[in-house]
C-alpha cells in the first residue's frame, strides 16, 4: 500500500475549536493522518512560550527528537541553539515546531536513517501547523529549510534565492487565509542540519547566524543588521 493510499490527512484529528496549544498537544498523539505514525516512536509536537515573538518552523523530528518527544533536541537543534545565541535572539522568545510531526526514516543496519517527507506528508500534517498558528501571535516567522518552506510558502518558493529577506506574513503564505496572524514578517533560512552536512561548516554556520541576525533586527525594529559571530 502506498503513502498516497494510506494518507487521509490530519483534519479529522485536530480538535475543533481548540483554544490553546495545550489542547492541540493533548490531541496530537492520536493522529493517524498518514502512515508515518506507524513506525515512529511518538508524535513530536511544538514547544515554547505560546506568547513567543518568534515562531521557527523546521522539517520533521529526527531520531533523537522521535525518542524524546521534543523538537530540536538532537545535533541540529543544539547547533540552532548556538546560532540563536550568537545572533542575539532570546531563546525564551522562540516557539519551535515542525511542518511534519512524525519522524520519517528507513531502517538500515540497525540505524534509523532520515528520509525527507514527501509532499503528501506535508499536506497531511498541514492542519496541525495551521491550528498551531491560530493560537500564536508572533512578530516573526522563521522558515528553516526547504520542507518548511514548501509547507508554508508553496512548492515554488526557493530558500536559496530568498533567504535572509524579510517578507510580509501571512501574505507570503501559500494560503494566507489559513493563517489568521496579525502584522508580522517572515524570514527564510537553511535548516541547521544543512550546516552539519556542509563541506565548509564554518561558512554555512555564519550564513545561518547572519540570517537569524535579520530576525534579531526585526524584533528590535532596526531593519536587518549583520551580527558578529562569537568565536
Amino acid at each position: 500500500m502506498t503513502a498516497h493510499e494510506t494518507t487521509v490527512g490530519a483534519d479529522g484529528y485536530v480538535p475543533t475549536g481548540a483554544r490553546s496549544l495545550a489542547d492541540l498537544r493533548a490531541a496530537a498523539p492520536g493522529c493517524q493522518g498518514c502512515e508515518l505514525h506507524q513506525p515512529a516512536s511518538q508524535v513530536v509536537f511544538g514547544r515554547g512560550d505560546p506568547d513567543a515573538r518568534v515562531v521557527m518552523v523546521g522539517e520533521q523530528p529526527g531520531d533523537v527528537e522521535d525518542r524524546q518527544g521534543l523538537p530540536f533536541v538532537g545535533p541540529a537543534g543544539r547547533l540552532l541553539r548556538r546560532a540563536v545565541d550568537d545572533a542575539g535572539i532570546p531563546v525564551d522568545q522562540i516557539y519551535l515546531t515542525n511542518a511534519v510531526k512524525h519522524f520519517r526514516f528507513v531502517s538500515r543496519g540497525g540505524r534509523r536513517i532520515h528520509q525527507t517527507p514527501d509532499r503528501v506528508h506535508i499536506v497531511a500534517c498541514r492542519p496541525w501547523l495551521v491550528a498551531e498558528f491560530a493560537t500564536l501571535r508572533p512578530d516573526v516567522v522563521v522558515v528553516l529549510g526547504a520542507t518548511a518552506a514548501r509547507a508554508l510558502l508553496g512548492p515554488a518558493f526557493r530558500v536559496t534565492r530568498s533567504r535572509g529577506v524579510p517578507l510580509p506574513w501571512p501574505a507570503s503564505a501559500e494560503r494566507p487565509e489559513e493563517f489568521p496572524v496579525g502584522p508580522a514578517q517572515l524570514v527564510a533560512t537553511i535548516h541547521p542540519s544543512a550546516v552539519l552536512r556542509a563541506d565548509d561548516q564554518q561558512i554555512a554556520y555564519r550564513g545561518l547566524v547572519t540570517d537569524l541576525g535579520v530576525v534579531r533586527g526585526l524584533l528590535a525594529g532596526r531593519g536587518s543588521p549583520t551580527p558578529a559571530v562569537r568565536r
Side-chain angles (χ1 to χ4, degrees), residues 171-198:
S172 54
E174 183 178 24
R175 294 194 291 274
E177 69 278 3
E178 292 186 336
F179 296 98
V181 180
Q185 290 181 287
L186 177 141
V187 175
T189 187
I190 59 173
H191 195 281
S193 63
V195 177
L196 298 175
R197 297 191 303 268

PDB file of all heavy atoms in Angstrom, residues 171-198:
ATOM      1  N   ALA A 171       0.842  37.207   4.323  1.00  0.00           N
ATOM      2  CA  ALA A 171       0.597  37.440   2.898  1.00  0.00           C
ATOM      3  C   ALA A 171       1.494  36.575   2.012  1.00  0.00           C
ATOM      4  O   ALA A 171       1.116  36.236   0.886  1.00  0.00           O
ATOM      5  CB  ALA A 171       0.815  38.919   2.567  1.00  0.00           C
ATOM      6  N   SER A 172       2.667  36.199   2.523  1.00  0.00           N
ATOM      7  CA  SER A 172       3.584  35.379   1.737  1.00  0.00           C
ATOM      8  C   SER A 172       3.242  33.891   1.779  1.00  0.00           C
ATOM      9  O   SER A 172       3.850  33.095   1.058  1.00  0.00           O
ATOM     10  CB  SER A 172       5.018  35.585   2.238  1.00  0.00           C
ATOM     11  OG  SER A 172       5.098  35.353   3.635  1.00  0.00           O
ATOM     12  N   ALA A 173       2.287  33.507   2.625  1.00  0.00           N
ATOM     13  CA  ALA A 173       1.924  32.095   2.762  1.00  0.00           C
ATOM     14  C   ALA A 173       1.246  31.577   1.498  1.00  0.00           C
ATOM     15  O   ALA A 173       0.679  32.338   0.707  1.00  0.00           O
ATOM     16  CB  ALA A 173       0.996  31.898   3.956  1.00  0.00           C
ATOM     17  N   GLU A 174       1.291  30.246   1.322  1.00  0.00           N
ATOM     18  CA  GLU A 174       0.660  29.625   0.158  1.00  0.00           C
ATOM     19  C   GLU A 174      -0.849  29.876   0.178  1.00  0.00           C
ATOM     20  O   GLU A 174      -1.448  30.170  -0.845  1.00  0.00           O
ATOM     21  CB  GLU A 174       0.947  28.122   0.153  1.00  0.00           C
ATOM     22  CG  GLU A 174       0.391  27.408  -1.062  1.00  0.00           C
ATOM     23  CD  GLU A 174       0.728  25.928  -1.063  1.00  0.00           C
ATOM     24  OE1 GLU A 174       0.977  25.364   0.017  1.00  0.00           O
ATOM     25  OE2 GLU A 174       0.742  25.331  -2.151  1.00  0.00           O
ATOM     26  N   ARG A 175      -1.462  29.750   1.348  1.00  0.00           N
ATOM     27  CA  ARG A 175      -2.889  30.053   1.514  1.00  0.00           C
ATOM     28  C   ARG A 175      -3.027  30.953   2.736  1.00  0.00           C
ATOM     29  O   ARG A 175      -3.308  30.486   3.845  1.00  0.00           O
ATOM     30  CB  ARG A 175      -3.701  28.762   1.667  1.00  0.00           C
ATOM     31  CG  ARG A 175      -3.704  27.905   0.413  1.00  0.00           C
ATOM     32  CD  ARG A 175      -4.765  26.816   0.461  1.00  0.00           C
ATOM     33  NE  ARG A 175      -4.463  25.790   1.451  1.00  0.00           N
ATOM     34  CZ  ARG A 175      -3.682  24.732   1.215  1.00  0.00           C
ATOM     35  NH1 ARG A 175      -3.099  24.579   0.037  1.00  0.00           N
ATOM     36  NH2 ARG A 175      -3.467  23.844   2.152  1.00  0.00           N
ATOM     37  N   PRO A 176      -2.821  32.259   2.569  1.00  0.00           N
ATOM     38  CA  PRO A 176      -2.769  33.166   3.715  1.00  0.00           C
ATOM     39  C   PRO A 176      -4.045  33.188   4.540  1.00  0.00           C
ATOM     40  O   PRO A 176      -4.002  33.489   5.736  1.00  0.00           O
ATOM     41  CB  PRO A 176      -2.494  34.541   3.076  1.00  0.00           C
ATOM     42  CG  PRO A 176      -2.847  34.382   1.626  1.00  0.00           C
ATOM     43  CD  PRO A 176      -2.583  32.965   1.293  1.00  0.00           C
ATOM     44  N   GLU A 177      -5.169  32.837   3.924  1.00  0.00           N
ATOM     45  CA  GLU A 177      -6.434  32.859   4.674  1.00  0.00           C
ATOM     46  C   GLU A 177      -6.450  31.810   5.781  1.00  0.00           C
ATOM     47  O   GLU A 177      -7.254  31.896   6.721  1.00  0.00           O
ATOM     48  CB  GLU A 177      -7.616  32.635   3.724  1.00  0.00           C
ATOM     49  CG  GLU A 177      -7.715  31.238   3.123  1.00  0.00           C
ATOM     50  CD  GLU A 177      -6.827  31.014   1.920  1.00  0.00           C
ATOM     51  OE1 GLU A 177      -6.060  31.937   1.559  1.00  0.00           O
ATOM     52  OE2 GLU A 177      -6.881  29.915   1.338  1.00  0.00           O
ATOM     53  N   GLU A 178      -5.555  30.826   5.720  1.00  0.00           N
ATOM     54  CA  GLU A 178      -5.499  29.791   6.759  1.00  0.00           C
ATOM     55  C   GLU A 178      -4.712  30.230   7.988  1.00  0.00           C
ATOM     56  O   GLU A 178      -4.727  29.549   9.008  1.00  0.00           O
ATOM     57  CB  GLU A 178      -4.869  28.513   6.192  1.00  0.00           C
ATOM     58  CG  GLU A 178      -5.716  27.821   5.148  1.00  0.00           C
ATOM     59  CD  GLU A 178      -5.129  26.489   4.723  1.00  0.00           C
ATOM     60  OE1 GLU A 178      -3.899  26.305   4.867  1.00  0.00           O
ATOM     61  OE2 GLU A 178      -5.895  25.639   4.238  1.00  0.00           O
ATOM     62  N   PHE A 179      -4.037  31.354   7.896  1.00  0.00           N
ATOM     63  CA  PHE A 179      -3.168  31.784   8.990  1.00  0.00           C
ATOM     64  C   PHE A 179      -3.634  33.142   9.515  1.00  0.00           C
ATOM     65  O   PHE A 179      -3.154  34.183   9.062  1.00  0.00           O
ATOM     66  CB  PHE A 179      -1.721  31.869   8.518  1.00  0.00           C
ATOM     67  CG  PHE A 179      -1.159  30.537   8.099  1.00  0.00           C
ATOM     68  CD1 PHE A 179      -1.132  30.177   6.766  1.00  0.00           C
ATOM     69  CD2 PHE A 179      -0.663  29.654   9.037  1.00  0.00           C
ATOM     70  CE1 PHE A 179      -0.617  28.949   6.373  1.00  0.00           C
ATOM     71  CE2 PHE A 179      -0.147  28.426   8.656  1.00  0.00           C
ATOM     72  CZ  PHE A 179      -0.126  28.071   7.326  1.00  0.00           C
ATOM     73  N   PRO A 180      -4.550  33.154  10.453  1.00  0.00           N
ATOM     74  CA  PRO A 180      -5.077  34.414  10.977  1.00  0.00           C
ATOM     75  C   PRO A 180      -4.118  35.074  11.955  1.00  0.00           C
ATOM     76  O   PRO A 180      -4.402  35.248  13.135  1.00  0.00           O
ATOM     77  CB  PRO A 180      -6.364  33.971  11.681  1.00  0.00           C
ATOM     78  CG  PRO A 180      -6.065  32.583  12.158  1.00  0.00           C
ATOM     79  CD  PRO A 180      -5.167  31.986  11.104  1.00  0.00           C
ATOM     80  N   VAL A 181      -2.933  35.419  11.462  1.00  0.00           N
ATOM     81  CA  VAL A 181      -1.902  36.038  12.290  1.00  0.00           C
ATOM     82  C   VAL A 181      -1.884  37.528  12.005  1.00  0.00           C
ATOM     83  O   VAL A 181      -2.030  37.948  10.857  1.00  0.00           O
ATOM     84  CB  VAL A 181      -0.521  35.418  11.998  1.00  0.00           C
ATOM     85  CG1 VAL A 181       0.563  36.055  12.853  1.00  0.00           C
ATOM     86  CG2 VAL A 181      -0.566  33.919  12.241  1.00  0.00           C
ATOM     87  N   GLY A 182      -1.686  38.333  13.046  1.00  0.00           N
ATOM     88  CA  GLY A 182      -1.637  39.771  12.881  1.00  0.00           C
ATOM     89  C   GLY A 182      -0.397  40.218  12.138  1.00  0.00           C
ATOM     90  O   GLY A 182       0.342  39.389  11.597  1.00  0.00           O
ATOM     91  N   PRO A 183      -0.130  41.507  12.099  1.00  0.00           N
ATOM     92  CA  PRO A 183       1.029  42.027  11.377  1.00  0.00           C
ATOM     93  C   PRO A 183       2.314  41.344  11.836  1.00  0.00           C
ATOM     94  O   PRO A 183       2.659  41.359  13.015  1.00  0.00           O
ATOM     95  CB  PRO A 183       1.028  43.512  11.731  1.00  0.00           C
ATOM     96  CG  PRO A 183      -0.394  43.817  12.087  1.00  0.00           C
ATOM     97  CD  PRO A 183      -0.913  42.571  12.746  1.00  0.00           C
ATOM     98  N   ALA A 184       2.998  40.723  10.920  1.00  0.00           N
ATOM     99  CA  ALA A 184       4.227  40.010  11.235  1.00  0.00           C
ATOM    100  C   ALA A 184       5.065  39.918   9.977  1.00  0.00           C
ATOM    101  O   ALA A 184       4.633  40.329   8.897  1.00  0.00           O
ATOM    102  CB  ALA A 184       3.908  38.611  11.781  1.00  0.00           C
ATOM    103  N   GLN A 185       6.266  39.395  10.124  1.00  0.00           N
ATOM    104  CA  GLN A 185       7.140  39.208   8.980  1.00  0.00           C
ATOM    105  C   GLN A 185       7.702  37.793   8.989  1.00  0.00           C
ATOM    106  O   GLN A 185       7.688  37.098  10.007  1.00  0.00           O
ATOM    107  CB  GLN A 185       8.264  40.245   8.984  1.00  0.00           C
ATOM    108  CG  GLN A 185       7.752  41.649   8.671  1.00  0.00           C
ATOM    109  CD  GLN A 185       8.862  42.675   8.648  1.00  0.00           C
ATOM    110  OE1 GLN A 185       9.385  43.051   9.678  1.00  0.00           O
ATOM    111  NE2 GLN A 185       9.200  43.143   7.463  1.00  0.00           N
ATOM    112  N   LEU A 186       8.209  37.378   7.842  1.00  0.00           N
ATOM    113  CA  LEU A 186       8.770  36.049   7.684  1.00  0.00           C
ATOM    114  C   LEU A 186      10.188  36.152   7.164  1.00  0.00           C
ATOM    115  O   LEU A 186      10.489  37.003   6.317  1.00  0.00           O
ATOM    116  CB  LEU A 186       7.913  35.228   6.716  1.00  0.00           C
ATOM    117  CG  LEU A 186       8.405  33.824   6.382  1.00  0.00           C
ATOM    118  CD1 LEU A 186       7.241  32.849   6.297  1.00  0.00           C
ATOM    119  CD2 LEU A 186       9.180  33.825   5.055  1.00  0.00           C
ATOM    120  N   VAL A 187      11.048  35.284   7.688  1.00  0.00           N
ATOM    121  CA  VAL A 187      12.428  35.187   7.209  1.00  0.00           C
ATOM    122  C   VAL A 187      12.725  33.709   6.971  1.00  0.00           C
ATOM    123  O   VAL A 187      12.503  32.870   7.849  1.00  0.00           O
ATOM    124  CB  VAL A 187      13.433  35.767   8.218  1.00  0.00           C
ATOM    125  CG1 VAL A 187      14.869  35.536   7.735  1.00  0.00           C
ATOM    126  CG2 VAL A 187      13.183  37.256   8.434  1.00  0.00           C
ATOM    127  N   ALA A 188      13.214  33.384   5.780  1.00  0.00           N
ATOM    128  CA  ALA A 188      13.593  32.007   5.461  1.00  0.00           C
ATOM    129  C   ALA A 188      15.105  31.856   5.561  1.00  0.00           C
ATOM    130  O   ALA A 188      15.864  32.777   5.238  1.00  0.00           O
ATOM    131  CB  ALA A 188      13.129  31.642   4.052  1.00  0.00           C
ATOM    132  N   THR A 189      15.541  30.686   6.010  1.00  0.00           N
ATOM    133  CA  THR A 189      16.962  30.380   6.060  1.00  0.00           C
ATOM    134  C   THR A 189      17.146  28.872   5.925  1.00  0.00           C
ATOM    135  O   THR A 189      16.158  28.128   5.800  1.00  0.00           O
ATOM    136  CB  THR A 189      17.609  30.902   7.352  1.00  0.00           C
ATOM    137  OG1 THR A 189      19.037  30.711   7.281  1.00  0.00           O
ATOM    138  CG2 THR A 189      17.072  30.178   8.584  1.00  0.00           C
ATOM    139  N   ILE A 190      18.372  28.423   5.924  1.00  0.00           N
ATOM    140  CA  ILE A 190      18.641  26.996   5.805  1.00  0.00           C
ATOM    141  C   ILE A 190      18.308  26.282   7.112  1.00  0.00           C
ATOM    142  O   ILE A 190      18.282  26.885   8.181  1.00  0.00           O
ATOM    143  CB  ILE A 190      20.104  26.731   5.429  1.00  0.00           C
ATOM    144  CG1 ILE A 190      21.060  27.329   6.477  1.00  0.00           C
ATOM    145  CG2 ILE A 190      20.408  27.270   4.041  1.00  0.00           C
ATOM    146  CD1 ILE A 190      22.522  26.968   6.252  1.00  0.00           C
ATOM    147  N   HIS A 191      18.052  25.002   7.006  1.00  0.00           N
ATOM    148  CA  HIS A 191      17.854  24.188   8.203  1.00  0.00           C
ATOM    149  C   HIS A 191      19.219  23.951   8.854  1.00  0.00           C
ATOM    150  O   HIS A 191      20.226  23.791   8.154  1.00  0.00           O
ATOM    151  CB  HIS A 191      17.213  22.851   7.827  1.00  0.00           C
ATOM    152  CG  HIS A 191      16.651  22.103   8.985  1.00  0.00           C
ATOM    153  ND1 HIS A 191      17.451  21.375   9.849  1.00  0.00           N
ATOM    154  CD2 HIS A 191      15.382  21.959   9.429  1.00  0.00           C
ATOM    155  CE1 HIS A 191      16.689  20.816  10.775  1.00  0.00           C
ATOM    156  NE2 HIS A 191      15.431  21.163  10.543  1.00  0.00           N
ATOM    157  N   PRO A 192      19.286  23.942  10.183  1.00  0.00           N
ATOM    158  CA  PRO A 192      20.599  23.707  10.818  1.00  0.00           C
ATOM    159  C   PRO A 192      21.247  22.388  10.431  1.00  0.00           C
ATOM    160  O   PRO A 192      22.476  22.269  10.455  1.00  0.00           O
ATOM    161  CB  PRO A 192      20.277  23.765  12.324  1.00  0.00           C
ATOM    162  CG  PRO A 192      18.792  23.644  12.423  1.00  0.00           C
ATOM    163  CD  PRO A 192      18.251  24.224  11.172  1.00  0.00           C
ATOM    164  N   SER A 193      20.464  21.397  10.036  1.00  0.00           N
ATOM    165  CA  SER A 193      21.061  20.136   9.580  1.00  0.00           C
ATOM    166  C   SER A 193      21.868  20.332   8.305  1.00  0.00           C
ATOM    167  O   SER A 193      22.814  19.583   8.038  1.00  0.00           O
ATOM    168  CB  SER A 193      19.980  19.073   9.365  1.00  0.00           C
ATOM    169  OG  SER A 193      19.081  19.461   8.336  1.00  0.00           O
ATOM    170  N   ALA A 194      21.506  21.349   7.505  1.00  0.00           N
ATOM    171  CA  ALA A 194      22.271  21.646   6.296  1.00  0.00           C
ATOM    172  C   ALA A 194      23.671  22.140   6.642  1.00  0.00           C
ATOM    173  O   ALA A 194      24.617  21.918   5.887  1.00  0.00           O
ATOM    174  CB  ALA A 194      21.541  22.680   5.440  1.00  0.00           C
ATOM    175  N   VAL A 195      23.796  22.820   7.767  1.00  0.00           N
ATOM    176  CA  VAL A 195      25.114  23.253   8.236  1.00  0.00           C
ATOM    177  C   VAL A 195      25.962  22.032   8.573  1.00  0.00           C
ATOM    178  O   VAL A 195      27.141  21.950   8.222  1.00  0.00           O
ATOM    179  CB  VAL A 195      24.987  24.174   9.461  1.00  0.00           C
ATOM    180  CG1 VAL A 195      26.364  24.557   9.993  1.00  0.00           C
ATOM    181  CG2 VAL A 195      24.186  25.423   9.110  1.00  0.00           C
ATOM    182  N   LEU A 196      25.352  21.055   9.242  1.00  0.00           N
ATOM    183  CA  LEU A 196      26.077  19.846   9.630  1.00  0.00           C
ATOM    184  C   LEU A 196      26.527  19.035   8.422  1.00  0.00           C
ATOM    185  O   LEU A 196      27.519  18.308   8.488  1.00  0.00           O
ATOM    186  CB  LEU A 196      25.201  18.990  10.551  1.00  0.00           C
ATOM    187  CG  LEU A 196      24.807  19.630  11.880  1.00  0.00           C
ATOM    188  CD1 LEU A 196      23.848  18.724  12.640  1.00  0.00           C
ATOM    189  CD2 LEU A 196      26.034  19.934  12.719  1.00  0.00           C
ATOM    190  N   ARG A 197      25.802  19.148   7.323  1.00  0.00           N
ATOM    191  CA  ARG A 197      26.141  18.399   6.106  1.00  0.00           C
ATOM    192  C   ARG A 197      27.069  19.168   5.173  1.00  0.00           C
ATOM    193  O   ARG A 197      27.568  18.619   4.194  1.00  0.00           O
ATOM    194  CB  ARG A 197      24.874  18.030   5.328  1.00  0.00           C
ATOM    195  CG  ARG A 197      23.919  17.107   6.054  1.00  0.00           C
ATOM    196  CD  ARG A 197      22.852  16.592   5.084  1.00  0.00           C
ATOM    197  NE  ARG A 197      22.115  17.667   4.442  1.00  0.00           N
ATOM    198  CZ  ARG A 197      20.978  18.182   4.892  1.00  0.00           C
ATOM    199  NH1 ARG A 197      20.442  17.730   6.015  1.00  0.00           N
ATOM    200  NH2 ARG A 197      20.365  19.150   4.228  1.00  0.00           N
ATOM    201  N   ALA A 198      27.277  20.452   5.434  1.00  0.00           N
ATOM    202  CA  ALA A 198      28.015  21.315   4.515  1.00  0.00           C
ATOM    203  C   ALA A 198      29.489  20.928   4.431  1.00  0.00           C
ATOM    204  O   ALA A 198      30.092  20.485   5.415  1.00  0.00           O
ATOM    205  CB  ALA A 198      27.888  22.772   4.949  1.00  0.00           C
TER     206      ALA A 198
END
